Amino acid sequence: MMRLLVLLFGLCSFLMACGDSPGGRGSRILAIGDSMMAWNGLVGQSIPDVVAETLAEPVVDRAVSGARMIYRLPVTGAAGLSIPKQYRGGSWDWVIVNGGGNDLWLGCGCDSCDAKLDRMISADGAAGEIAELVQRIRRNGARVIYIGYLRVPGRSSPISGCRDEGDILDARLAAMAAADAGVTFLPFADLVPDGDLSFHALDRVHPSPKASRLIGQRIAATIEAAR
């Protein structure tokens, strides 16, 4: 049932991702990623929505629920289910990125995922699909904010078994960011107090509007601090 919900939400996001909204034209900020980025977007409270509201400027949002870092189908990949293909060069100053969770949860069930992790990002953060995407963005002149995932609230969740993989992914993303002053990694592993369900949607996977707001505000603060 949970995966069906993600797929249905992803279909809505997929259809909306086929073109940028007119309000986002001329923006200097782009957001790409998966359902963590896109969640709450149908009610105007996604992470990119909060960044736009906080900074009082438009943010182009191409995030699509169900999107992966490693995705080889050409048509649906080009329409948004491949996170690297969500990025297209432009006059961006900032690109906000997340991704990798679906590759682990849907791709290997958060079990025996070493090979999948290595394909996404090496232990030193210098190679893999994520590192190559970030390097491509940097070559085009934009700064990158890569955001980590929420952890489960200490109660039953479909992704309870993904904690170890999430910690490994965070460590590799931090190593990637440490090597380039133009890349910032914002982890959110410690955002959710144990037992507090208010940071998650009912599925206990995706962020609630409260969590999306806190994450978006932290991203906006990072952008403002660099001005």
Side-chain angles (χ1 to χ4, degrees):
M1 181 66 184
M2 227 308 295
R3 294 194 182 192
L4 177 59
L5 176 62
V6 172
L7 290 172
L8 289 173
F9 187 90
L11 178 59
C12 294
S13 299
F14 175 87
L15 293 172
M16 290 188 293
C18 292
D20 297 330
S21 64
R25 290 174 186 159
S27 173
R28 68 189 185 105
I29 304 172
L30 170 67
I32 61 176
D34 59 24
S35 55
M36 179 174 170
M37 191 81 74
W39 212 254
N40 302 309
L42 295 178
V43 291
Q45 298 183 65
S46 69
I47 292 169
D49 289 329
V50 174
V51 175
E53 175 190 333
T54 305
L55 295 176
E57 63 177 288
V59 175
V60 172
D61 178 11
R62 294 185 186 146
V64 174
S65 289
R68 303 190 192 190
M69 277 292 170
I70 303 169
Y71 190 90
R72 302 306 185 206
L73 296 179
V75 176
T76 50
L81 289 179
S82 165
I83 295 172
K85 289 185 177 179
Q86 291 175 11
Y87 173 73
R88 294 187 291 278
S91 55
W92 313 112
D93 290 339
W94 294 91
V95 180
I96 307 162
V97 187
N98 94 295
N102 288 326
D103 298 83
L104 298 175
W105 181 38
L106 302 175
C108 53
C110 290
D111 182 43
S112 300
C113 287
D114 290 351
K116 184 74 72 172
L117 278 163
D118 289 342
R119 286 181 64 193
M120 285 198 294
I121 186 166
S122 59
D124 62 2
E129 296 281 346
I130 292 175
E132 289 172 8
L133 170 61
V134 170
Q135 290 161 10
R136 180 158 57 98
I137 295 170
R138 293 289 294 129
R139 284 194 298 271
N140 287 332
R143 285 175 285 188
V144 175
I145 298 175
Y146 205 107
I147 65 172
Y149 286 97
L150 299 175
R151 298 299 188 269
V152 296
R155 302 191 188 181
S156 176
S157 166
I159 58 169
S160 294
C162 297
R163 180 182 297 272
D164 290 345
E165 286 74 15
D167 291 343
I168 294 170
L169 180 60
D170 276 5
R172 296 184 180 193
L173 293 169
M176 175 183 69
D180 185 343
V183 179
T184 299
F185 173 55
L186 294 181
F188 291 98
D190 298 328
L191 182 65
V192 182
D194 187 61
D196 190 338
L197 298 179
S198 68
F199 288 79
H200 286 81
L202 293 177
D203 60 16
R204 297 187 187 178
V205 173
H206 296 95
S208 66
K210 172 183 176 179
S212 290
R213 176 155 295 278
L214 290 171
I215 293 168
Q217 288 173 342
R218 191 176 298 180
I219 293 169
T222 299
I223 293 174
E224 287 182 323
R227 287 178 173 169

